[in-house]
Amino acid sequence: DAGVTQSPTHLIKTRGQQVTLRCSPISGHKSVSWYQQVLGQGPQFIFQYYEKEERGRGNFPDRFSARQFPNYSSELNVNALLLGDSALYLCASRLVQGARGYGYTFGSGTRLTVV
Amino acid sequence: ELKVEQNPLFLSMQEGKNYTIYCNYSTTSDRLYWYRQDPGKSLESLFVLLSNGAVKQEGRLMASLDTKARLSTLHITAAVHDLSATYFCAVDMDYGQNFVFGPGTRLSVLP
């Protein structure tokens, strides 16, 4: 069984550019969340989607946006990149929103470097 | 706003020793998760704790949850080098809409 897959694995962008990160959840998982992990810190919640609707949003500026597609895959977009956006971006999926007994399964992440 | 704290943030221990990592959180929740992260890698699920008094064990690691004290512990028994990693606790908010993670405990087990 394939786990949560993310692409690309590494990315280097210039300040002011835009980036799109992609995530495919585990088959059957309808809930996808995005987290940002800056080096040396714990992951910070960005977005959660369930059944193609945004169900939660963390404390991130409007430069960050996301969507979920009918096949439950998801994209995270970041516009007008800043140096501070450099981080590991993690996608996680879960079987059912609020399902007890199930934590999120995380993908391997996309390492974004903004120069 | 839910806050999750971990103590200690850095831990260096000798192989064969025992130690406990603490995770405190600020609001009521009965769902707590422990993850492990190796350098440059993603998060690996270790334990899912879903009720007051829950205790889970896997190998040299044992996790427990006290929802009244808003405290979870991760106990390490007879540490080995392979346990060197960063350990995160995470608390479930809003019925699973998102997790709030602690800052992590960076564990280094020395021979």
Side-chain angles (χ1 to χ4, degrees):
Chain A
D1 247 357
V4 178
T5 58
Q6 291 186 244
S7 63
T9 55
H10 295 84
L11 204 52
I12 300 175
K13 289 286 189 177
T14 304
R15 277 178 296 176
Q17 285 189 314
Q18 175 264 342
V19 68
T20 297
L21 311 181
R22 296 176 175 82
C23 171
S24 293
I26 291 173
S27 178
H29 286 194
K30 299 180 180 180
S31 176
V32 172
S33 289
W34 288 95
Y35 287 80
Q36 180 197 64
Q37 187 178 24
V38 173
L39 193 63
Q41 298 181 17
Q44 299 292 315
F45 171 70
I46 311 176
F47 285 109
Q48 195 246 358
Y49 277 79
Y50 177 68
E51 289 283 15
K52 302 177 286 288
E53 290 186 5
E54 181 183 307
R55 297 302 180 97
R57 184 184 182 113
N59 188 23
F60 280 80
D62 292 343
R63 299 185 296 107
F64 288 77
S65 63
R67 54 180 175 168
Q68 186 176 34
F69 298 98
N71 65 355
Y72 304 111
S73 67
S74 177
E75 286 183 352
L76 175 70
N77 296 286
V78 187
N79 295 322
L81 285 167
L82 303 174
L83 295 179
D85 295 331
S86 296
L88 180 67
Y89 288 84
L90 294 165
C91 174
S93 75
R94 194 178 199 180
L95 184 59
V96 174
Q97 181 186 26
R100 295 182 70 87
Y102 297 99
Y104 278 105
T105 300
F106 284 82
S108 298
T110 294
R111 173 75 61 188
L112 172 65
T113 302
V114 182
V115 296
Chain B
E1 178 188 347
L2 173 61
K3 293 188 177 179
V4 182
E5 298 177 342
Q6 289 182 235
N7 180 36
L9 299 181
F10 298 92
L11 176 58
S12 182
M13 56 190 299
Q14 296 283 332
E15 279 191 328
K17 298 293 186 182
N18 304 333
Y19 209 83
T20 300
I21 299 171
Y22 298 89
C23 172
N24 293 90
Y25 53 98
S26 61
T27 62
T28 302
S29 176
D30 61 356
R31 297 183 296 278
L32 190 134
Y33 307 82
W34 284 96
Y35 287 86
R36 167 182 171 146
Q37 188 175 39
D38 292 298
K41 304 293 186 182
S42 187
L43 297 164
E44 174 192 354
S45 179
L46 292 175
F47 298 109
V48 177
L49 303 169
L50 297 178
S51 61
N52 186 41
V55 177
K56 296 280 185 72
Q57 183 163 6
E58 180 72 35
R60 302 175 187 274
L61 300 178
M62 183 174 70
S64 65
L65 178 62
D66 181 343
T67 58
K68 294 178 182 177
R70 298 176 186 169
L71 171 69
S72 179
T73 60
L74 180 65
H75 186 72
I76 303 157
T77 301
V80 293
H81 179 68
D82 285 352
L83 291 179
S84 297
T86 299
Y87 293 86
F88 292 98
C89 62
V91 179
D92 214 339
M93 267 194 73
D94 298 330
Y95 292 93
Q97 287 193 38
N98 75 88
F99 286 1
V100 177
F101 281 84
T105 295
R106 188 176 301 176
L107 172 66
S108 178
V109 181
L110 306 174

